[in-house]
Amino acid sequence: MLKLKDVSKFYYNKGLIATGFTKINLELKMGEFVVITGESGSGKSTLLNVLSGLDSYEEGEMYINGEETSHYTEKDFEDYRRKYIANIFQSFNLVNSYTVYQNVELVMLLNGYKKSQVKQKVLDIIEKVGLTEFKNTKVSKLSGGQKQRVAIARAMIKETPIIVADEPTGNLDSASSKDVIELLKKVAKDRLVIVVTHNIEQVEEYATRIIKMHDGRIIENKEIKKVNIPEEVEESKYTKITTANKYRLGIRNTFNIVPKFLLLFAVFLFITVALLSEYASFSQTEYEANKAGHNFFFNDLSPERIIIKKSDKTPFFSEDYEKIRSIESVNYIIKDDIVLDSTIIANNQEEGIHIYGNLRQTELYKGNLTAGRMPENIDEIIVEIPQSYYYVRNGAEGILNKKFTLKSDYRNLNENEEESYNVKIVGVQLYEPSYSFSSYGSDVNIYASEQYLQTYRKDLNQKYSNIKTLFAGKYYESQDWNSYFKIIPSSKVPLGAAVVSNDANYSFKDNSARNKALKIELENIYYKEELNLKVSNTYTKNSFTRITGYKDYDQNNGAVFINEEDYKSLFNKPSYQSSVFIKDEKDLEETLLKLEELGLLARPVKDFKVNEGKEILQIIKIFKLVVTVVLILALFFISYFIIRIILKSRNVYFTTLRMLGATNKNVKRILDIELFINSSIAYFSFIIFILLNRFEILNIEFIKTLLKFLSLREYILMYIILIIMSWLISRRFSKRIFKKSAIKTYNEEV
Ligand code: ADP
Ligand code: MG
């Protein structure tokens, strides 16, 4: 069955060579009970390891069942061990954290049998070695003799043709030794049993051959009894381990040593928390980088704002607004959106209060009032103002419930303001300024009614239009900064008429402007309009107030006064551009599509943002990314070293699996599964913890940030990263164990 011809085994150790044994010649047949003796260090164990394919040899020829083995690969020896060999060791080599039953069952699971299939057989064999009452006891609790009986049971169940036992009684008292030898003899039957022992007396009556070794050589090889068993060898059957069994063992290993489970759980929990919070902080930086930036045309840069125009360039009519309003994601429509991007001044003449702020429509207010209430009438406004602002430094009372006039800028000419310009502040929100220059404009927001915004738009239409007046054969352009040919509405001027300054008389040969034609041509980016008027009167310093209804002659001299209705026909146009505010930023893309389906040009306001510090932000982002990657790598190595220390005690376990016939690949897979289960448990425990905060059963600030910056996609991504990390850790760890042969790892560990 086994034959050695001049076989030698050397150990190479840091440049030194030690001899395991030299030039051994040996032939062993089925049915033999071979006893090997010899003093310590004579090479007995080395010989057994070579015979059982656990270790390699350097010289000579070894035949297994007549086949020469010099060309055998690692895989061939794995096969050989699984088909032929069952090992019993002096130190038992059992899995201490498994029960007796699980230890015996393990061989069968590793060799592709189903759990249910082997149950009866395992119980029978446990019965045979007399351990039935201990079948559910953990091996670590057994005595030496009991342990060795478990090892024999494990060797028996595999039904291999060869049993190799290296000093099986070395750690046992003489009574237990006797039991063990007797058991071995019972097992022997038609098999080939090779036993190393010092107690020849105990084995003498069973031995068929006694071999004595000395200094790496066989000095005596005595056949005591002849055996007549035909050389017909029945190989032990095995198949690949089933996937179910890999998972069964992976799960069993996850939980069978509680402190190890808890330690690994703690490490994986740490990785999970570190990964998620690092990623959340990365998202936060990115979010803030996106929020920064400004724009010189639009000062309301809300992410919910979409600017719309009709693609046929006509103004918006109420039916257009109806259609837009029917889109589900739309929250408000601000018809006169141009005013959202203007700044305005609220004046209280008596107390000398001047508040400069962005004009907003009341519906856009999302905050919480510090004092006062929401507006109920069209002439009521609310103000959002930094608490450090001069007029509110002693609280909101400084401005609350006071009357103000709203003006587009300091140069507004109107002294006798229209009714609708008079407003009252009914609500104030004080806030802590954040010093991020997120929008161009003021840090004060003034919220007014839609009706007021409409009135105000007329002024803006004038401000943003190019207005030319054809008079006395010449064109005069209205300028924003002076009164010369400025167009001002007046209730004192009849329809179709214009009132001009007395100075204009001198432009005509007859020194009279009266009844002369005056044509106003207006053009802005949205529309063109013209108005043909006749001069009905001229004003002087003295007659100014009587004729025009305004007070300040010096400031207004040169202006053209026209009837209010004519003024409206020039400027009171429906909107050509509006803004839509959506309920949720997330619906942006979808809403854009729907608006386009309605024939509108739609652009989110954020598309107009310019980011001056873009390069710097880019650099910060890259830097942050590098930090994140370095952190994840550091995390990986720290975790790896901790896990390696935790798993180090498991070396013996993995080596045992290999000796029992598990292939390297399968041992790795079982470890993968164990770490996968453990890391998943850690991850999902943390997710449950997050969910408790999500549903406000717990309330932890740090978790709230995570919730804000991580979405389902990121949770999945982080889970995948964690699983990949645990897989890499498992791979690195098993690579280290498998670098050495099973027996070498084993010898080092035991
Ligand atoms: P025995 O089992 O008879 O006590 P061994 O087979 O263990 O003896 O050892 C035989 C010889 O091989 C001894 O000289 C021992 O020092 C040497 N040897 C055994 N294992 C190793 C090893 N891993 N590395 C180096 N030398 C070894
Ligand atoms: Mg030995």
Side-chain angles (χ1 to χ4, degrees), residues 601-616:
L601 299 173
R603 290 280 300 274
V605 72
K606 71 173 169 61
D607 282 10
F608 298 95
K609 251 199 283 197
V610 284
N611 231 336
E612 281 180 350
K614 220 171 189 156
E615 288 76 24
I616 294 187

Side-chain angles (χ1 to χ4, degrees), residues 377-562:
N377 296 311
I378 63 166
D379 60 349
E380 294 178 340
I381 64 169
I382 52 177
V383 180
E384 221 173 355
I385 193 164
Q387 53 189 232
S388 54
Y389 206 88
Y390 182 75
Y391 303 109
V392 291
R393 67 195 185 286
N394 295 324
E397 289 68 36
I399 55 173
L400 191 64
N401 294 323
K402 292 189 175 155
K403 292 220 159 138
F404 288 83
T405 51
L406 292 176
K407 293 183 172 190
S408 68
D409 59 47
Y410 290 105
R411 293 182 304 276
N412 197 301
L413 310 170
N414 301 352
E415 276 289 301
N416 57 339
E417 289 89 0
E418 286 179 47
E419 295 278 326
S420 54
Y421 284 68
N422 291 317
V423 292
K424 185 170 146 193
I425 295 180
V426 294
V428 175
Q429 184 191 339
L430 301 178
Y431 71 91
E432 191 113 32
S434 68
Y435 301 108
S436 68
F437 56 107
S438 57
S439 78
Y440 170 73
S442 166
D443 49 2
V444 176
N445 289 324
I446 297 172
Y447 293 87
S449 64
E450 184 177 357
Q451 287 85 340
Y452 172 68
L453 261 62
Q454 261 174 36
T455 316
Y456 184 64
R457 200 193 67 228
K458 276 182 279 171
D459 286 3
L460 286 176
N461 275 345
Q462 176 170 13
K463 198 168 152 185
Y464 293 135
S465 297
N466 181 11
I467 304 166
K468 287 187 289 192
T469 305
L470 179 59
F471 184 60
K474 262 173 94 177
Y475 273 108
Y476 298 91
E477 218 165 303
S478 292
Q479 300 293 346
D480 200 30
W481 39 267
N482 73 19
S483 60
Y484 201 55
F485 280 91
K486 187 154 199 137
I487 312 294
I488 299 175
S490 166
S491 51
K492 307 237 164 176
V493 179
L495 206 63
V499 170
V500 297
S501 167
N502 188 42
D503 301 341
N505 287 329
Y506 309 112
S507 303
F508 296 94
K509 282 188 190 130
D510 58 357
N511 282 343
S512 170
R514 243 176 234 255
N515 292 322
K516 298 288 179 341
L518 184 147
K519 185 182 179 191
I520 300 172
E521 290 178 22
L522 175 150
E523 192 179 351
N524 60 33
I525 51 169
Y526 302 122
Y527 66 91
K528 276 182 182 178
E529 191 61 79
E530 51 180 64
L531 196 61
N532 287 298
L533 304 169
K534 222 174 220 175
V535 176
S536 64
N537 207 348
T538 57
Y539 56 81
T540 61
K541 188 172 172 114
N542 288 332
S543 63
F544 181 74
T545 304
R546 184 173 47 83
I547 294 175
T548 67
Y550 288 85
K551 285 173 197 156
D552 194 337
Y553 170 82
D554 291 334
Q555 280 229 8
N556 292 324
N557 188 25
V560 177
F561 293 83
I562 63 173

Side-chain angles (χ1 to χ4, degrees), residues 44-45 90 166-167:
K44 306 181 295 293
S45 296
Q90 179 177 354
D166 192 350
E167 302 193 38

Side-chain angles (χ1 to χ4, degrees), residues 52-81:
S52 49
L54 284 169
D55 218 342
S56 57
Y57 58 94
E58 268 73 39
E59 263 179 31
E61 287 153 28
M62 177 163 108
Y63 296 85
I64 296 170
N65 225 355
E67 193 185 350
E68 217 276 315
T69 59
S70 57
H71 62 278
Y72 266 35
T73 60
E74 174 129 0
K75 171 95 183 41
D76 292 326
F77 276 111
E78 260 169 24
D79 268 4
Y80 162 64
R81 285 207 301 274

Side-chain angles (χ1 to χ4, degrees), residues 116-161:
S116 54
Q117 244 176 355
V118 300
K119 186 164 184 208
Q120 199 46 52
K121 202 168 171 191
V122 173
L123 290 173
D124 287 349
I125 288 200
I126 292 176
E127 167 93 63
K128 261 189 206 151
V129 299
L131 288 174
T132 305
E133 63 176 307
F134 296 105
K135 66 175 197 275
N136 291 325
T137 308
K138 278 201 176 177
V139 162
S140 54
K141 302 217 172 91
L142 299 179
S143 73
Q146 288 168 330
K147 279 184 186 167
Q148 202 55 293
R149 279 193 270 164
V150 178
I152 291 170
R154 196 177 61 182
M156 282 164 73
I157 197 166
K158 222 174 126 195
E159 291 177 342
T160 54

